[in-house]
Structures are given as C-alpha cells and as structure tokens.
Amino acid sequence: MIRDARVLRAGFVPREVEHRDAEVNHLSSVLEPITNGEPADTAIVTGPSGTGKTCISKFVTERLREEVLDVEAIYVNCWRNYTRFRTLYQILDDLGATIDIHRQSTPHDELVDRLQQHDGPRTVVILDEVDQLEDPSVIYDLHSLPQFAIICIANKEEELFSRVDDRLVSRLRSSEHVRMDKYHDEQLYDILSARAKWGLDEDVITDDQLYRIADAAAGDARLAIGILRTAAGKADRENHERITDDILLDAAEDARAQIKQKSLDSLTPHQRVVYDIVREHGPVGPSEIHERYTEDVDDPRTKRTIRTYLSKMEQYNLLEAEGTSRDREYSLVDSAAASPMQ
C-alpha cells in the first residue's frame, strides 16, 4: 500500500509545493543576492502552526543550493536549541567548526568569533521557532555577519519583537516579511492528493476521504498529513487493500494525540512547569500562574516571558484561554472538542 513512506512524513519537502507560489517567489527574491556573493536581507516567515513555514523555507533553500554551488543551508530548531549557546553551537557544528569547543567552558563571544572567521560558502541559516529563544540576541549576532543570510520562522511577529531589544526591533521591522495564512479545505485536499499520489498505491483512499481529512484538519497541513500517514500505516500493518472509514476515524484521534505529545515533549523545562501548573490548577489566570511558577523554580523568568510561554502553548493547542486580557484564564485543551472526522 505504501509506495514511498518519505512522502508521508511531516518533515518531507516535496519537489513541488502546493498553493504557496507567491510566498516561494517572495522568499526566493529576498535570498537571491547571496547567489551573486552579496549579503541578503533577513526574512521573517510567520503564520499559524501547520501553514507550511518550515517546508517553504527548506524548499527555497534547497532550490538555491541546486542552482548555486557556493551556497549552503543550516537548519536550527530553536525550541530544541533554546539557549544562545546551543544555537551558536548548532550552527558551528553544521559548519564543522566545533572540534575544540567545550560545551561547558567556551564563552559565547568565542563562538561568535568563530562565525565571524567563517570563510566558506555563503550560508542560509533557518532559525525555526525563533520566538522560543531565551536570549534572542543570537539573532543580532548573526545579523551582523554578512556571510550569513537568516530566515526567522515564528507564529507571530509581534511576539518575536516583544522579546528583542530596540536595536534589533528596528532591523527586524525593516526585514522582508513573508506571511502565511491557514490553508482552505480545497488547498489541503490538493496537498493530501499530491502526497497520496506519490506515497501510496492507486485507489487505496478516495477523494471523499481526502476531503474529510482536510475538513477535520481545519487548515493545519501538519495534522492533515499526520492523519493520512497514520491511516496508511495502520491499513498497511493490518493488510487492508484500502483505507477504510473506521481506520480513518481512529487515525484522526491518533494523529492529534501524536502531535500533542510531540509538542509536550518539545517544551523547555520552564515551559513544562507552567503547563503543569495549568494542568493541576486550571482554569487559572496569568498572575496566579506566575506566582506558583516562581515558587517552583530556582531561576524564574519574567512575567512577560511567562505570557509568551502561555501564548505559544495556546498556538500549539496545548492550552486554551477564555476571557479578555484583564480576566483571562488558561486551561488544558479538551481534545474531544476538536473538529471530528465526519
């Protein structure tokens, strides 16, 4: 049943992308100067979860690398590498320049010096989930190095701007902004249809079933592809000739659970404390959350940072908020209330 499992994976970058021509052209034009050995502007790619921000960024940089020999690309997940040191180390590691760097004792400035000394090909650095950086000054570090072009990926640009200092805000505001909107059902259907065409044997899933997946995913391509992958995997394991409606129903629940677990596993230690407080005491307001949080950790972050954590978890469907900004309360998302598979 499964012809090419790679096509069904969340991180797969297709040869052709659906319904993002304008965004691809915009980002390509921003990065074009590096193909001529010139510095490129920083690009900020924003949009809700599941709108293809990472896919488009990787797609454009791969096309660049196909066209030009002297261009490289580095991808950094800032949710995983959330400290300034980890981010700088990851970039240097991909450049092959970490042989004599000690994770415990090497100062940050030495890492920046290493990057300044880099004289290899011009490099595009994709900083995914950049609003997760505990110290966003790493963006400034890279911004000042002409041999690197930066793509910053975030859900909301204002949350990124609220956490950086004034010298960087003005630079980021003048950067090129590529904004992604949620997909419509018809667009999600086209994405799923292309994945099914390349990844599955013929006639194992109907157009009607693909439309139902698109409807249940509510604009989130990551969830839609996850449902398709989970359904195909189960049908294949159970030796079905095609994906049945019952399998599809179970796959929707399983895919949501997998994405939720992955998001939970990605939380930083401080974010996990905040999540656990809401889980144990919700519905609960930001002031009480911060109060309990400061009692639970040794090195508490600011109230503003905690608000950013809460907003991030809301965007990833881990938490939901009710009320205005003054009387807002947070609680865990009720998974049963998600768009059901019809």
Short mmCIF file of all heavy atoms in Angstrom, two decimals, residues 309-321 328 330 333:
data_model
loop_
_atom_site.label_atom_id
_atom_site.label_comp_id
_atom_site.label_asym_id
_atom_site.label_seq_id
_atom_site.Cartn_x
_atom_site.Cartn_y
_atom_site.Cartn_z
N TYR A 309 5.17 32.19 26.92
CA TYR A 309 5.04 30.74 27.03
C TYR A 309 3.57 30.32 26.86
O TYR A 309 3.24 29.38 26.13
CB TYR A 309 5.52 30.23 28.39
CG TYR A 309 6.99 30.30 28.67
CD1 TYR A 309 7.49 30.08 29.95
CD2 TYR A 309 7.91 30.59 27.65
CE1 TYR A 309 8.86 30.12 30.22
CE2 TYR A 309 9.27 30.64 27.91
CZ TYR A 309 9.74 30.42 29.20
OH TYR A 309 11.10 30.47 29.47
N LEU A 310 2.68 31.02 27.57
CA LEU A 310 1.25 30.69 27.54
C LEU A 310 0.69 30.85 26.12
O LEU A 310 -0.06 30.00 25.63
CB LEU A 310 0.48 31.57 28.52
CG LEU A 310 0.75 31.31 30.01
CD1 LEU A 310 0.22 32.46 30.86
CD2 LEU A 310 0.13 29.99 30.45
N SER A 311 1.09 31.93 25.46
CA SER A 311 0.62 32.18 24.10
C SER A 311 1.11 31.09 23.15
O SER A 311 0.37 30.61 22.29
CB SER A 311 1.10 33.55 23.63
OG SER A 311 0.75 33.77 22.29
N LYS A 312 2.37 30.68 23.33
CA LYS A 312 2.94 29.64 22.47
C LYS A 312 2.19 28.33 22.64
O LYS A 312 1.87 27.65 21.67
CB LYS A 312 4.42 29.45 22.83
CG LYS A 312 5.20 28.59 21.85
CD LYS A 312 5.47 29.35 20.57
CE LYS A 312 6.34 28.56 19.62
NZ LYS A 312 6.51 29.26 18.34
N MET A 313 1.90 27.97 23.89
CA MET A 313 1.19 26.72 24.14
C MET A 313 -0.25 26.79 23.64
O MET A 313 -0.83 25.77 23.25
CB MET A 313 1.24 26.39 25.63
CG MET A 313 2.62 25.90 26.09
SD MET A 313 2.64 25.37 27.82
CE MET A 313 3.43 26.78 28.60
N GLU A 314 -0.80 28.00 23.60
CA GLU A 314 -2.14 28.19 23.03
C GLU A 314 -2.10 27.94 21.52
O GLU A 314 -2.96 27.27 20.95
CB GLU A 314 -2.59 29.62 23.33
CG GLU A 314 -4.08 29.82 23.32
CD GLU A 314 -4.45 31.28 23.58
OE1 GLU A 314 -3.64 32.05 24.13
OE2 GLU A 314 -5.56 31.64 23.18
N GLN A 315 -1.07 28.47 20.86
CA GLN A 315 -0.93 28.32 19.41
C GLN A 315 -0.75 26.86 19.02
O GLN A 315 -1.13 26.45 17.92
CB GLN A 315 0.25 29.14 18.90
CG GLN A 315 0.03 30.64 18.94
CD GLN A 315 1.34 31.40 18.98
OE1 GLN A 315 2.36 30.93 18.51
NE2 GLN A 315 1.31 32.59 19.56
N TYR A 316 -0.16 26.06 19.93
CA TYR A 316 0.07 24.66 19.63
C TYR A 316 -1.00 23.74 20.24
O TYR A 316 -0.79 22.54 20.39
CB TYR A 316 1.48 24.25 20.09
CG TYR A 316 2.50 24.61 19.04
CD1 TYR A 316 3.02 25.90 18.98
CD2 TYR A 316 2.90 23.70 18.07
CE1 TYR A 316 3.92 26.26 17.98
CE2 TYR A 316 3.80 24.04 17.09
CZ TYR A 316 4.31 25.32 17.05
OH TYR A 316 5.19 25.68 16.07
N ASN A 317 -2.15 24.35 20.59
CA ASN A 317 -3.31 23.58 21.06
C ASN A 317 -3.04 22.74 22.30
O ASN A 317 -3.65 21.69 22.49
CB ASN A 317 -3.87 22.69 19.94
CG ASN A 317 -4.52 23.49 18.84
OD1 ASN A 317 -5.23 24.45 19.11
ND2 ASN A 317 -4.26 23.12 17.61
N LEU A 318 -2.11 23.22 23.13
CA LEU A 318 -1.90 22.56 24.42
C LEU A 318 -2.76 23.23 25.49
O LEU A 318 -3.24 22.57 26.41
CB LEU A 318 -0.42 22.65 24.82
CG LEU A 318 0.56 21.88 23.93
CD1 LEU A 318 2.00 22.16 24.36
CD2 LEU A 318 0.27 20.39 23.95
N LEU A 319 -2.94 24.55 25.36
CA LEU A 319 -3.76 25.31 26.30
C LEU A 319 -4.81 26.11 25.54
O LEU A 319 -4.62 26.42 24.36
CB LEU A 319 -2.89 26.29 27.11
CG LEU A 319 -1.75 25.72 27.96
CD1 LEU A 319 -1.03 26.85 28.68
CD2 LEU A 319 -2.26 24.69 28.97
N GLU A 320 -5.88 26.45 26.23
CA GLU A 320 -6.86 27.37 25.65
C GLU A 320 -7.14 28.47 26.66
O GLU A 320 -7.03 28.26 27.88
CB GLU A 320 -8.14 26.65 25.25
CG GLU A 320 -8.82 25.88 26.37
CD GLU A 320 -9.96 25.01 25.85
OE1 GLU A 320 -10.22 25.04 24.62
OE2 GLU A 320 -10.60 24.33 26.65
N ALA A 321 -7.46 29.67 26.16
CA ALA A 321 -7.69 30.83 27.03
C ALA A 321 -9.12 31.33 26.85
O ALA A 321 -9.66 31.31 25.74
CB ALA A 321 -6.71 31.94 26.69
N ARG A 328 -8.33 37.00 31.79
CA ARG A 328 -8.07 35.77 31.04
C ARG A 328 -7.69 34.63 31.97
O ARG A 328 -6.97 34.81 32.93
CB ARG A 328 -6.95 36.02 30.03
CG ARG A 328 -6.62 34.82 29.15
CD ARG A 328 -5.75 35.23 28.00
NE ARG A 328 -6.48 36.11 27.10
CZ ARG A 328 -5.93 36.81 26.10
NH1 ARG A 328 -4.63 36.73 25.90
NH2 ARG A 328 -6.65 37.57 25.32
N TYR A 330 -6.49 30.33 31.79
CA TYR A 330 -5.98 29.27 30.93
C TYR A 330 -6.37 27.90 31.48
O TYR A 330 -6.40 27.69 32.69
CB TYR A 330 -4.45 29.35 30.83
CG TYR A 330 -3.97 30.56 30.05
CD1 TYR A 330 -3.75 31.77 30.69
CD2 TYR A 330 -3.76 30.48 28.68
CE1 TYR A 330 -3.33 32.89 29.98
CE2 TYR A 330 -3.33 31.58 27.96
CZ TYR A 330 -3.11 32.79 28.62
OH TYR A 330 -2.70 33.89 27.91
N VAL A 333 -6.50 22.10 26.76
CA VAL A 333 -7.40 21.93 25.62
C VAL A 333 -8.16 20.62 25.77
O VAL A 333 -7.57 19.58 26.10
CB VAL A 333 -6.61 21.94 24.29
CG1 VAL A 333 -7.48 21.46 23.13
CG2 VAL A 333 -6.09 23.34 24.00
#
